[in-house]
């Protein structure tokens, strides 16, 4: 992790059930906080295919599926895993402190 990253509170851990995600805006970032089996991941809310938002998509296991043309991204890494194949989207390091999901932003 970059030395100048700082963790900011993004969501309540108990408010996001496994298999769900929450759309948050924090420090100028438009993010999705995703719960995959009790682990939290943060990705940018923007599909790399045609720059559309992902927050109306579905989380299927570790993949967020874009509602527009079906591109899928692994929320753990941001990698494109389906069709249409796209470049990766940004993902962010998270940690849980008490009930807070925090995201490292630079
Ligand atoms: S905009 Fe997401 S798949 Fe096309």
């Amino acid at each position: 992790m970059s030395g100048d990253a700082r963790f900011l509170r993004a969501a309540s851990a108990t408010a996001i059930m496994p298999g769900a995600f929450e759309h948050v805006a924090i420090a100028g970032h438009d993010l999705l906080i995703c719960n995959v089996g009790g682990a939290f991941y943060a990705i940018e809310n923007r599909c790399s295919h045609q720059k559309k938002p992902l927050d109306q998509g579905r989380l299927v296991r570790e993949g967020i599926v874009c509602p527009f043309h079906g591109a899928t991204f692994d929320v753990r890494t941001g990698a494109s895993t389906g069709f249409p194949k796209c470049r990766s989207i940004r993902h962010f390091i998270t940690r849980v402190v008490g009930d807070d999901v925090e995201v490292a932003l630079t």
Side-chain angles (χ1 to χ4, degrees):
M1 178 174 63
S2 169
D4 58 359
R6 61 190 173 121
F7 281 91
L8 296 177
R9 184 188 185 282
S12 163
T14 53
I16 309 173
M17 295 293 106
F21 62 88
E22 186 172 308
H23 179 201
V24 301
I26 176 171
H29 295 269
D30 188 19
L31 304 176
L32 302 181
I33 309 299
C34 307
N35 183 336
V36 178
F40 290 91
Y41 301 94
I43 56 171
E44 66 175 330
N45 180 31
R46 192 162 81 147
C47 180
S48 60
H49 179 229
Q50 290 185 354
K51 316 297 185 200
K52 295 183 183 291
L54 291 164
D55 59 280
Q56 296 301 313
R58 293 177 295 118
L59 183 61
V60 180
R61 292 186 294 278
E62 67 281 351
I64 185 89
V65 182
C66 180
F68 294 95
H69 312 103
T72 302
F73 302 91
D74 188 324
V75 301
R76 301 169 301 179
T77 63
S80 172
T81 59
F83 182 84
K85 190 72 174 169
C86 306
R87 69 168 175 77
S88 296
I89 59 173
R90 284 191 76 187
H91 70 287
F92 301 84
I93 293 171
T94 67
R95 69 182 182 188
V96 177
V97 179
D99 183 48
D100 294 338
V101 180
E102 297 182 344
V103 179
L105 299 171
T106 52

